[in-house]
Amino acid sequence: MTELNKEKFEIIGCENSNADIITRPTITYWQDAWRRLKKNPVAMFSLGLLIFLTIMVVVGPYINGKGFSEVDAANKNLSPSSKYWFGTDILGRDLFSRIWYGGRVSIAIGLVATFIQVTLGCLYGGVMAYFGGWVDEIMMRIIEVVTSIPGLLLTILMMVVLGNSMGTLIIALTITAWCGTARMIRGQLMQLRESEYVLAAQALGASPGRVIIKHLIPNTIGVLILNIATSIPGYIFGEASLSFLGLGLQPPNTSWGVLISYGQQAMEFYPYQLIFPALALCLTVLAFNLLGDGLRDALDPRLRQ
């Protein structure tokens, strides 16, 4: 091959290589985040554990054929066996069914409370960031007043005055928690409100509500996912703490906190009544926290390659 042919071959090869790079399908931000999340074994194990726990709280109460509220006075305080997998409590109720039913209640409280927190925080923070000026100043002062009230004290007062229902518990847990989300969203949107697409939407006559909901808040989805992943275990643990202290849900309602409270009273003679619900609670909270750490790394745009 002559020198001229070699040069032509090299030029053609470079052009084909550049063409491959240009035509190669680009990976999106979410595809890259999922790729990085899959490389984190701890986060993937936590995700699998959460999926397993979710399935169990749905179907677990029906697996062994014993009702979670079924009382069997002849089988009180039985240790775990082939008939009663997690044993029975002081009234003869099957602990296996009760733990998974209690998990259904605890996780539902965490999900609903997080939804309320994120919704209020996004709308409130979006209004603050979009309008700015005196509107932002007044709304920020309101947040400062709300957050200055001790959250635990306010929660206890609400539970004492309004009763120990699930609705009251959710309201009590979220009455001040949304302020943190509002501040976070405000900080994110303050950087986005002068973007070209926002200015274009305003020029086309879009209303402030549409701009906030359709254009600003969707661009904070990565931060919101992290906020959700860390808020859910906080609410689950908060509900368990209040129920353990006797300020949360009360019989006939049940949750992991209620079961742990019962187990603590009998732990000296029947430790399994405390160990199993406490283990379910700890695994759930730990899985959410580890998954949140993995999501934080996966969604960080500075780590994207």
Side-chain angles (χ1 to χ4, degrees):
M1 183 181 295
T2 64
E3 293 294 331
L4 181 60
N5 290 335
K6 287 182 179 180
E7 292 178 358
K8 290 181 178 180
F9 181 78
E10 291 175 355
I11 293 172
I12 293 173
C14 291
E15 291 178 350
N16 291 336
S17 178
N18 293 333
D20 291 339
I21 294 174
I22 294 173
T23 58
R24 188 182 303 160
T26 58
I27 186 171
T28 65
Y29 170 77
W30 294 107
Q31 290 173 335
D32 183 63
W34 173 243
R35 177 183 62 85
R36 282 185 284 164
L37 183 66
K38 289 191 294 184
K39 291 183 178 180
N40 188 333
V42 176
M44 292 305 296
F45 174 78
S46 301
L47 180 61
L49 180 59
L50 286 177
I51 293 174
F52 169 76
L53 290 172
T54 302
I55 294 173
M56 287 304 297
V57 299
V58 174
V59 303
Y62 313 108
I63 289 179
N64 61 356
K66 295 178 175 61
F68 69 93
S69 60
E70 181 180 339
V71 177
D72 187 355
N75 294 309
K76 298 179 180 179
N77 296 319
L78 294 181
S79 299
S81 62
S82 58
K83 182 178 180 180
Y84 296 100
W85 299 341
F86 287 177
T88 60
D89 63 5
I90 193 172
L91 297 178
R93 294 172 296 188
D94 179 58
L95 273 180
F96 182 85
S97 301
R98 288 182 63 77
I99 284 173
W100 294 123
Y101 184 83
R104 182 186 301 179
V105 175
S106 295
I107 293 176
I109 289 174
L111 293 175
V112 174
T114 301
F115 174 78
I116 294 174
Q117 171 193 322
V118 171
T119 302
L120 290 178
C122 286
L123 295 178
Y124 198 92
V127 172
M128 282 195 299
Y130 182 83
F131 291 101
W134 64 269
V135 175
D136 181 44
E137 289 291 330
I138 294 176
M139 297 179 75
M140 277 299 296
R141 299 296 82 78
I142 294 175
I143 286 182
E144 291 171 0
V145 171
V146 173
T147 54
S148 67
I149 303 173
L152 181 59
L153 176 61
L154 186 60
T155 300
I156 293 174
L157 288 175
M158 289 190 63
M159 297 302 297
V160 171
V161 173
L162 300 179
N164 301 82
S165 65
M166 184 181 297
T168 303
L169 180 60
I170 292 174
I171 295 173
L173 290 172
T174 58
I175 194 167
T176 59
W178 61 270
C179 296
T181 303
R183 281 178 168 173
M184 179 192 68
I185 293 297
R186 173 185 177 273
Q188 293 289 320
L189 298 189
M190 291 288 283
Q191 306 172 10
L192 299 173
R193 65 178 184 179
E194 302 299 332
S195 302
E196 290 81 1
Y197 61 89
V198 175
L199 298 176
Q202 293 172 341
L204 293 173
S207 64
R210 181 176 179 82
V211 173
I212 293 171
I213 296 175
K214 296 291 186 180
H215 299 286
L216 289 176
I217 292 179
N219 285 281
T220 65
I221 189 67
V223 179
L224 283 177
I225 290 176
L226 296 181
N227 186 254
I228 291 171
T230 55
S231 296
I232 293 175
Y235 284 120
I236 294 174
F237 197 78
E239 178 277 325
S241 301
L242 291 174
S243 298
F244 178 78
L245 296 173
L247 299 171
L249 298 178
Q250 298 297 318
N253 296 317
T254 188
S255 67
W256 281 334
V258 175
L259 293 175
I260 291 172
S261 179
Y262 282 140
Q264 183 269 337
Q265 300 172 16
M267 64 177 296
E268 185 175 355
F269 301 102
Y270 312 106
Y272 62 89
Q273 296 184 16
L274 173 64
I275 292 174
F276 287 119
L279 182 62
L281 173 65
C282 292
L283 287 176
T284 303
V285 173
L286 180 62
F288 270 112
N289 287 330
L290 293 177
L291 179 60
D293 290 339
L295 288 172
R296 181 189 59 203
D297 296 336
L299 296 173
D300 190 348
R302 292 172 296 181
L303 300 177
R304 188 177 182 185
Q305 300 176 351

